[in-house]
Amino acid sequence: MTPDVHIRLTSVLHGLRDVIVPAVDPGASLAQAQCGLVLAQLDMLLRQLPWIERYPALCRDDLRATALSIVDAPDGGVDTRDAAARLAALLAAPSLGDAQADYDRIGFGVEALVFAVSRDGAPAYRARVDAEILRFGRRQNTRERTWFAGTGFDPRPEEIGSIAEMFVK
């Protein structure tokens, strides 16, 4: 039987933690720090593993919904109308087959629209776009804080749930 990815990563983590890291010269502070970083990243990857394919899709789907809400009835000058049309075309195009690539592509289109709206968008449309993008940004920030909570660097971890909870909201 071929061991699955979880078993393989766990084996690597144990080998590093139990054999290799203890053998690193305690006086080599940079090497010690890098060992800690590698162990922490592997541990975090193990916790993310069940969700690793779903996370980019979750982010993409939310950005896509946000983009759809802001391309509807664009109002403003030529820059705004052109950027909205380009974003609408991106949203109508077939998926690239990779959630992260789709997220990036939609994100660049959204960014172009935001810049165009700042130049010549009608005030009410600008306010609507700003509000939608801000709401998306808050949701994305919470997702990223949750996804990387394993680093231990979040200043308010009590505000975020678990990775599993993120997928049921």
Side-chain angles (χ1 to χ4, degrees):
M1 178 176 104
T2 304
D4 67 18
V5 173
H6 188 274
I7 291 170
R8 291 167 51 205
L9 282 174
T10 300
S11 174
V12 168
L13 187 61
H14 286 297
L16 284 168
R17 186 176 286 139
D18 300 340
V19 178
I20 296 169
V21 172
V24 173
D25 179 3
S29 60
L30 181 57
Q32 288 285 332
Q34 289 301 302
C35 286
L37 179 65
V38 168
L39 290 171
Q41 286 292 331
L42 285 171
D43 188 53
M44 193 167 52
L45 278 169
L46 281 169
R47 285 196 301 277
Q48 293 170 339
L49 194 58
W51 315 102
I52 207 110
E53 290 184 19
R54 290 177 58 195
Y55 180 73
L58 178 68
C59 299
R60 179 213 47 217
D61 293 348
D62 189 13
L63 180 58
R64 181 177 184 72
T66 300
L68 285 167
S69 76
I70 62 175
V71 297
D72 181 45
D75 188 12
V78 173
D79 287 351
T80 293
R81 290 190 313 274
D82 286 351
R86 285 191 305 274
L87 179 56
L90 284 174
L91 294 167
S95 167
L96 297 172
D98 176 321
Q100 184 63 53
D102 287 338
Y103 176 87
D104 292 342
R105 180 175 69 167
I106 295 167
F108 288 129
V110 167
E111 179 183 51
L113 179 57
V114 168
F115 283 130
V117 167
S118 73
R119 286 189 301 274
D120 69 357
Y125 182 62
R126 184 180 315 130
R128 184 173 64 127
V129 168
D130 288 350
E132 289 295 327
I133 295 303
L134 183 59
R135 281 192 285 274
F136 168 78
R138 286 183 177 137
R139 291 188 304 270
Q140 185 63 22
N141 178 263
T142 299
R143 278 191 290 272
E144 289 174 4
R145 288 176 60 203
T146 302
W147 191 246
F148 291 105
T151 64
F153 294 131
D154 194 283
R156 294 176 304 281
E158 70 280 357
E159 293 177 356
I160 56 177
S162 69
I163 291 175
E165 291 168 332
M166 181 170 55
F167 286 92
V168 294
K169 290 183 180 178

